[in-house]
Each structure stands twice: as structure tokens, then as C-alpha cells.
Amino acid sequence: MFHPTVFDNLKVSIENQLYDYDNLDGALTITGRSDLLDLATLSREFRLSFRLAGEAAVTAELVLRSSLKDLSDEILALPDTSPGCSLLLRFAMLTSGEPDVCRDIERILAGIWGKELAPVQTLSFTHPRGNDVYTHTAEVAFKRPIHEDQMEDLPELLACLLQSTEQLEQLQNAEKE
């Protein structure tokens, strides 16, 4: 019989809670879902993206990853190992690319996630660009693996993810004015 891994258990819990925010609460709209197995590296990746209900300026994405080492440590029950998953939160929006916007995004995300999880921001544009509009991506990567022990923390984590998206949406709306 199949025994679910840490990755499977975390994925199902996260997925169920985010779909509840969509289907039951109407707080967000799921815009994308990927469940990938990389056969070259035997790694897994789960992505779920969403936008706040009635909003379209910010797309948030949760990315859960598990490596071959994590999977083998778990299946082989190797001593002195603690198999887990990596977690990345990604926020995408269109901005003017002004330094003030970058500082505001960093302030918002550091205020919610803490300074130790400083966001990495990437600005890009399509050539020939028009109106100085940039695709702005901010990523918050957790520095330590997450485990099933943190399952009880997932509702708070997802609430902070929604809060981050709401505040970035407010920043986007203010920039448009």
C-alpha cells in the first residue's frame, strides 16, 4: 500500500486550505496549479497560484519542493536525518520599477515575514518596452525545510500569505492613482 511522504501530506493540506479560501470563503481565485515530478533529478514540485477575489494586480504563488535526498532519507528512514520540503512564496505584479516601489514591497514583506526572510525582487520587461512597465517578482524563500511537525502552522502561514497579497494589492492600487 502507498505510504504518503512528507511532501504529499504537506501538499494535500496546503491545497485543501487554499481551495477552501477559494470555494468556501470566496477570498481568492485559484489561477494555476502544477504538480510536477522531474524524472531527471527525481524531485517533486507543487505550485498553486491565486489572485484575491475581485482583484487582478497581484498574483501570489506558493511553491513546495522535495528533493531526491529528502525522499530517500524518508523512505529509507535514515538515522540523524530530518526529511522535509522547501517552501517559496512568489508575488508577481506590474510596476513602474521605481526604487520607492521596491522599498515599499520589501517593507511590506519584511513586516509580515521578518527581516531574516528578506524578499528577492526581480524586475523584467519585454523589448520594445512601452510605458516603462516592469514585471515585478518578489520571492520569499524559507531558509529551513518544513516538516509535518509544522502542519498546525499552515493556517497561520496561509493567512500571512493572504495578508501579503492584500497589502501588495493595496500598494498596486495606490501606485495607479
Side-chain angles (χ1 to χ4, degrees):
M1 187 160 118
F2 173 75
H3 182 285
T5 63
V6 170
F7 177 87
D8 294 309
N9 289 331
L10 289 170
K11 179 191 84 152
V12 167
S13 181
I14 289 168
E15 186 176 30
N16 286 341
Q17 290 178 57
L18 281 173
Y19 271 102
D20 284 350
Y21 276 121
D22 182 358
N23 297 321
L24 300 179
D25 300 340
L28 57 85
T29 301
I30 302 292
T31 59
R33 180 187 179 283
S34 297
D35 194 350
L36 307 170
L37 170 62
D38 185 333
L39 293 175
T41 62
L42 295 178
S43 61
R44 295 196 54 194
E45 181 176 279
F46 172 71
R47 297 179 186 184
L48 198 60
S49 58
F50 65 88
R51 290 191 176 128
L52 296 176
E55 302 290 345
V58 178
T59 299
E61 182 177 47
L62 184 142
V63 181
L64 185 70
R65 294 183 179 125
S66 181
S67 69
L68 173 60
K69 180 173 179 0
D70 292 321
L71 183 60
S72 65
D73 287 353
E74 182 176 4
I75 291 172
L76 298 173
L78 295 177
D80 301 323
T81 62
S82 181
C85 298
S86 66
L87 181 64
L88 173 77
L89 308 175
R90 182 178 295 133
F91 304 92
M93 62 213 92
L94 298 176
T95 68
S96 65
E98 295 293 324
D100 288 345
V101 173
C102 295
R103 282 190 290 275
D104 289 342
I105 290 171
E106 184 165 355
R107 178 187 47 76
I108 287 169
L109 295 176
I112 294 169
W113 300 102
K115 293 188 190 248
E116 62 278 357
L117 295 180
V120 173
Q121 299 183 57
T122 305
L123 294 145
S124 61
F125 64 90
T126 303
H127 182 77
R129 68 181 209 219
N131 301 332
D132 293 325
V133 175
Y134 293 84
T135 300
H136 194 137
T137 304
E139 295 182 339
V140 176
F142 286 71
K143 297 190 188 312
R144 62 176 178 80
I146 63 169
H147 307 88
E148 289 170 316
D149 298 346
Q150 285 93 29
M151 196 76 80
E152 293 176 0
D153 299 333
L154 288 178
E156 183 179 349
L157 180 136
L158 296 177
C160 289
L161 176 59
L162 282 173
Q163 179 186 6
S164 300
T165 309
E166 289 166 355
Q167 289 187 19
L168 291 172
E169 191 77 45
Q170 290 169 2
L171 178 68
Q172 287 298 99
N173 292 336
E175 187 180 17
K176 290 177 187 174
E177 294 175 356

